Amino acid sequence: MGTGSETHRVLVIDDEADIADSLTDILILHGYDAVAFHDGPSAIESARNHCPNIVVSDVVMPKLNGVDTVAAIHEFCPEVRILLLSGQALTTDILEKARASGHEFEVLPKPIHPYLLLKKISFLTSNPS
Amino acid sequence: MPVSAPKNSWNILAAIVDSSDDAIISKDLKGTITSWNASAARLFGYRADEIVGQSIMLLIPPELQQDEVHILTKIKAGERIEHFQTVRMKKNGERMEVSLTISPVKDERGTIVGAAKILRDVTKQKKMEAIVRTSERLASVGRLAATVAHEINNPLEAVTNYVYLAKEQPDLPPKIKQYLDSADAALARVAHIAQQTLGFYRESFQPTKLVIADVIEDVLAIYERKVKYKRLNIDRRIDRGLTVSGFEGEMKQMISNLITNAFDACQDGGKIIIAARATCQFPSHQRGICITVADNGAGISNQDKLNLFTPFFTTKKSLGTGLGLWITKDLLEKRGGRIRFRSRDSSPAGTVISLYILETLQDSAETIG
């Protein structure tokens, strides 16, 4: 969990406010410095000021999709670890495009139980890239 | 031989009839077989010398024998019956679906003396038609699933999170905690069914190295409460250090299908063994692993065994989607693996089902044993 000597910053991005906010609360409860965003551009803006350790993002979002968002953050925060969450099959096309431009991301299916998500995040923080 | 063939062309006609792919049979108006070509022998299994002179009823299943009366009535009236789809019986009792064309045969004076039947085995064609119908049905279900998936999975994620948050609140009254636990378990069930029905997800395009023991434990963690409620006894016999190359989501989906089937089959207090070991039992002797889930539950009846891997077949009534094992088999075979099961529904009842998974992922169905 995030309660080690160092607090890990996590950006949670989902256009469904219920998901972004509840996930953020769960992460804060487990000792992470988590912040919720409801669109890609505002998350990129925040990352520019303060590189997160981890980004948890939805894939299909209206303004900027999750793959383009995390790719942008990755540009100036190369150490960032990324987890994508998706509730639909449409994701495949977006991922294929990302892969063609050299990005390989792990996508977890929604709904993911917080127990498993916390486990994933804890694994990522204890195995930095 | 066709009874009304002119004598000068007899040999030619006989050769044509004999080399036809269709069974060509003639009978008299009493239904006695008068000629029988080579294809008839091949399709039905009777030689000409054992069937000519016998009743046509030998070829007709008991429940359809009434049909012959109608056929003969029409023939006597000089009518022809075209492409009549029915069932006929082989010498060994096996039934085949056939398409029949029956024409009256007349003698030199124009009197109807019998009938000539051309019969084609359409069993394979019928099977193909059924497969096409099923795949059309599946495609429309797939489109529906993709549309519904997003609408269901997002709110499901939010509610799961809220229930989790509520449960994490300090000093919860025990009754509230119990309600939330039940809500969480119910949500896990919805999530599982939604994922089985709506998601053939793949989280990455590159297979990763999966530690089998970890994958199994992750799946078991999802059903922790179910195990507790049903007081199931889980015996893990998992060789440590087993790995395969694959997709985590798919692997979890396959294992989860097996495990939930075992859970549902078991009575309260039932026993389930989950084993994983290395194996080379593949046609190519490549290395791989075998994951076995055995339960002492109700077992599978012989009738149900036939439909075990058929889409939409379920014995779980409203709880099942009938897609779990079908998807599992499909995922496995796409990777060159296979699925095997043994089951008894009488004492001692139980089911053992094994997944054989190649260590190195293969994107071909050609290697299935």
Side-chain angles (χ1 to χ4, degrees), chain A residues 18 99 107 110 112 119, chain B residues 154 157 162 164 203 206 218:
Chain A
D18 272 343
R99 196 178 172 219
V107 183
K110 279 182 188 172
I112 179 165
K119 214 173 140 187
Chain B
N154 271 329
E157 173 76 51
Y162 285 132
Y164 182 90
E203 58 282 85
Q206 288 296 332
D218 277 353

Side-chain angles (χ1 to χ4, degrees), chain B residues 160-178:
Chain B
T160 307
N161 289 347
Y162 285 132
V163 169
Y164 182 90
L165 279 167
K167 275 169 57 181
E168 293 284 304
Q169 297 307 306
D171 309 322
L172 274 187
K175 198 73 192 163
I176 302 290
K177 170 111 184 26
Q178 196 189 325

Side-chain angles (χ1 to χ4, degrees), chain B residues 96-118:
Chain B
M96 61 179 161
E97 298 199 53
V98 298
S99 169
L100 274 180
T101 295
I102 311 170
S103 321
V105 175
K106 298 172 183 169
D107 64 11
E108 289 87 346
R109 292 187 302 277
T111 315
I112 296 167
V113 290
K117 291 182 177 222
I118 300 180

Side-chain angles (χ1 to χ4, degrees), chain B residues 41-147:
Chain B
R42 182 174 51 79
L43 285 181
F44 285 95
Y46 292 102
R47 292 188 317 272
D49 63 299
E50 58 182 339
I51 194 86
V52 171
Q54 302 279 345
S55 168
I56 196 84
M57 292 298 193
L58 270 178
L59 312 177
I60 305 177
E63 69 276 14
L64 295 176
Q65 300 221 334
Q66 198 57 32
D67 286 359
E68 183 61 13
V69 179
H70 298 297
I71 293 173
L72 283 176
T73 312
K74 284 195 161 194
I75 293 298
K76 284 173 190 163
E79 287 178 44
R80 185 177 147 94
I81 298 162
E82 283 190 70
H83 308 301
F84 174 47
Q85 307 272 327
T86 184
V87 176
R88 289 294 178 257
M89 225 161 49
K90 299 184 182 184
K91 187 179 179 184
N92 63 11
E94 199 182 306
R95 284 155 196 245
M96 61 179 161
E97 298 199 53
V98 298
S99 169
L100 274 180
T101 295
I102 311 170
S103 321
V105 175
K106 298 172 183 169
D107 64 11
E108 289 87 346
R109 292 187 302 277
T111 315
I112 296 167
V113 290
K117 291 182 177 222
I118 300 180
L119 178 148
R120 180 168 293 179
D121 179 1
V122 291
T123 311
K124 269 190 197 150
Q125 188 190 327
K126 288 274 169 194
K127 269 191 189 149
M128 285 310 292
E129 282 168 13
I131 289 171
V132 169
R133 273 200 303 277
T134 306
S135 56
E136 277 168 1
R137 197 172 157 203
L138 285 174
S140 61
V141 168
R143 282 192 296 274
L144 175 70
T147 320

